[in-house]
Amino acid sequence: MERRYKIGELAQLSGVPVKTVRYYSDLGVLPPSGVSETGHRWYTDGDHARLEAIRSLRDVGVGLETIQKLMQQEDAISEALRLHMETLELEMAQLQRRRALLAAALKRNDHLGYLRGARTLAALNARERQQFVGQQIDRMLQDVPADPVWVRNLWKGPIMQVPEDLSEEQFEAWLELADLMLDDTFIARSQQMGQEFWSQFPDARSRERFMAVQQQTEQMMADAVKRQVLPDSEEGQKCIQQVLSMFAGTKERSVLQHLALQQLEMIARHTEPRALHFWQLVEKVHGQTGRSAQVMAVHEWKVKALQVCVSEFGSALHDLHPESNPGHGT
C-alpha cells in the first residue's frame, strides 16, 4: 500500500515550507491525492516526486502556470525544457552583450555619448552587421585602384563574414571594430595609404605581377621567420636580396639597395598603428588568433633585413622607424 503523508510531513520530506506546499495545492499545481474525513489533505510518494519535479522546474525559471500545464501532459516536459533552455541562452547572450557594451563605454571619456551611438551597432543582427562592414569597406577603398582579387580575397571575403553568434569577447571586439570603421580620420588615412600604394601600378598586368611576386616573397620571409633565421645573418641577407631581385627583375646590388631604401621609405610613410589594431579586432570578432601576430613578425623581420641591406646609406635611414606597423603596403 502506498504511503500517505500529511502536508507537514511532505513539506519536511522535501525541505520546503508548509505554506509553499499549500500554495502549490491551492493553485492546482500539486493537488492532494485525497482529503481525510477531518478535512486534512494527504499526499503520496507520487506527489512527493511531483513536488520535486516542480522544484526543479522552478529552479530553472519555469513559471507555475507553465508547470501546471506540463504536469497535465508529462510527455511535453522534455520539449518545454528544451524551449526554456533556448530562452535562457538567448537571455544570457543579451546580458553578455549588455555587459560588453558597458565595458566598451567605460573605456571612453564620454560614457553616455558612446552608449547612445553604440546601442544601434549592438542591436544589429548578423546580416545587418555584414551590410555595415561592407559599406565601411567601400568607404575605405573609395578611389583606391586596388587589385580586384586582393579586394575580394582580403576584404570582401573574411572580413564581411561576421559570425552570427558572438561570445562576449567577440561582441566587445565587434563594437570596437565598428567604432574604428566609423572614424573618419581612419577611413581617410586608409584611403590615402591605399591610393599611394596602388598608384605605383599603371595597369592590371603590373598589379597582377606584383600580387604574384608578393605572395611568393611573403611565404619566403615567413619561412625564414619560422626557421628563426636572423635578418642580419648571411642567410637572412640572401633571402631579402632574393625577395628584392624578384620585384626588381635583376640581381644588381646597387639596384637592390635602392629598392630596399624605397621600400623602407614606403613603410615609414605608411606607419599606422590603427591598421594593425584593425586586423587584430577582425581576428577577435571571428574567434581567431595568431594571424596578425604572424604578419607582424614577418613585417618586423623584413624591415630589419632591409635596413641591413642598405646600411651603407645610414644617414638616409636616420628618421625611419623599424617598429612601424604594416598598413596597405608590402
Side-chain angles (χ1 to χ4, degrees):
M1 182 177 178
E2 192 171 25
R3 183 175 177 181
R4 294 183 178 185
Y5 302 95
K6 295 179 181 179
I7 191 170
E9 293 173 332
L10 179 62
Q12 185 176 12
L13 183 64
S14 298
V16 298
V18 172
K19 64 179 182 180
T20 299
V21 179
R22 184 176 290 111
Y23 178 61
Y24 289 165
S25 294
D26 292 341
L27 286 178
V29 179
L30 183 67
S33 290
V35 180
S36 68
E37 294 179 356
T38 57
H40 292 94
R41 307 171 190 183
W42 54 267
Y43 302 86
T44 64
D45 288 326
D47 295 322
H48 176 225
R50 188 184 183 95
L51 178 56
E52 291 301 311
I54 293 171
R55 293 181 64 195
S56 297
L57 291 170
R58 291 294 290 151
D59 285 343
V60 295
V62 180
L64 288 173
E65 184 178 349
T66 301
I67 292 175
Q68 185 174 14
K69 294 177 181 178
L70 292 175
M71 290 302 169
Q72 295 169 356
Q73 306 176 45
E74 293 191 9
D75 57 342
I77 290 181
S78 60
E79 177 65 13
L81 290 178
R82 185 186 66 79
L83 291 174
H84 188 65
M85 183 176 68
E86 291 178 357
T87 300
L88 289 176
E89 288 174 349
L90 288 174
E91 291 176 354
M92 289 171 62
Q94 290 175 346
L95 288 173
Q96 288 177 340
R97 291 185 178 188
R98 290 176 184 174
R99 186 183 185 281
L101 185 58
L102 292 173
L106 286 172
K107 296 177 182 178
R108 307 304 197 281
N109 292 327
D110 183 8
H111 303 322
L112 293 179
Y114 174 79
L115 282 175
R116 283 193 293 269
R119 282 179 62 192
T120 302
L121 296 172
L124 298 180
N125 58 35
R127 184 176 180 180
E128 291 168 338
R129 287 196 293 263
Q130 182 172 333
Q131 291 175 342
F132 169 84
V133 172
Q135 291 169 355
Q136 301 313 309
I137 289 175
D138 287 341
R139 289 181 64 205
M140 294 171 71
L141 298 178
Q142 185 176 351
D143 298 326
V144 175
D147 179 73
V149 176
W150 177 81
V151 172
R152 183 175 64 251
N153 293 342
L154 187 63
W155 293 90
K156 295 294 186 178
I159 298 180
M160 290 183 62
Q161 301 305 318
V162 180
E164 183 172 356
D165 297 319
L166 300 176
S167 67
E168 183 176 345
E169 183 180 7
Q170 287 174 297
F171 188 71
E172 188 171 348
W174 154 250
L175 290 175
E176 190 172 353
L177 177 64
D179 193 38
L180 180 59
M181 296 182 82
L182 286 172
D183 186 334
D184 289 338
T185 63
F186 177 67
I187 294 294
R189 178 65 172 141
S190 298
Q191 292 172 345
Q192 177 191 1
M193 291 191 299
Q195 290 166 0
E196 180 179 351
F197 177 76
W198 288 104
S199 62
Q200 301 175 90
F201 312 107
D203 51 44
R205 187 173 182 178
S206 61
R207 288 198 304 266
E208 290 172 3
R209 179 186 177 280
F210 167 79
M211 291 302 298
V213 175
Q214 171 84 341
Q215 186 174 4
Q216 288 180 278
T217 56
E218 287 293 323
Q219 185 57 52
M220 289 167 53
M221 291 185 289
D223 181 63
V225 171
K226 185 177 181 180
R227 292 187 294 108
Q228 298 183 335
V229 175
L230 296 177
D232 58 352
S233 67
E234 182 178 353
E235 184 179 358
Q237 284 303 292
K238 284 183 179 179
C239 177
I240 196 64
Q241 288 176 25
Q242 185 178 358
V243 167
L244 292 168
S245 66
M246 291 175 69
F247 280 109
T250 179
K251 293 185 178 181
E252 186 177 340
R253 184 166 179 78
S254 61
V255 175
L256 300 186
Q257 287 177 324
H258 181 66
L259 179 57
L261 180 59
Q262 283 185 325
Q263 291 209 5
L264 282 170
E265 290 173 341
M266 175 71 78
I267 290 171
R269 288 197 304 273
H270 286 189
T271 297
E272 177 51 69
R274 290 177 297 180
L276 176 61
H277 188 52
F278 173 87
W279 291 108
Q280 290 172 333
L281 290 172
V282 169
E283 277 191 351
K284 286 185 179 180
V285 169
H286 287 79
Q288 302 168 348
T289 56
R291 172 59 182 164
S292 59
Q294 293 172 3
V295 171
M296 191 61 189
V298 172
H299 172 76
E300 291 176 343
W301 187 95
K302 177 182 179 180
V303 170
K304 292 175 182 177
L306 288 171
Q307 287 180 323
V308 173
C309 187
V310 295
S311 58
E312 61 194 70
F313 300 159
S315 59
L317 300 177
H318 179 71
D319 294 327
L320 296 177
H321 305 285
E323 68 278 6
S324 58
N325 295 317
H328 284 275
T330 62

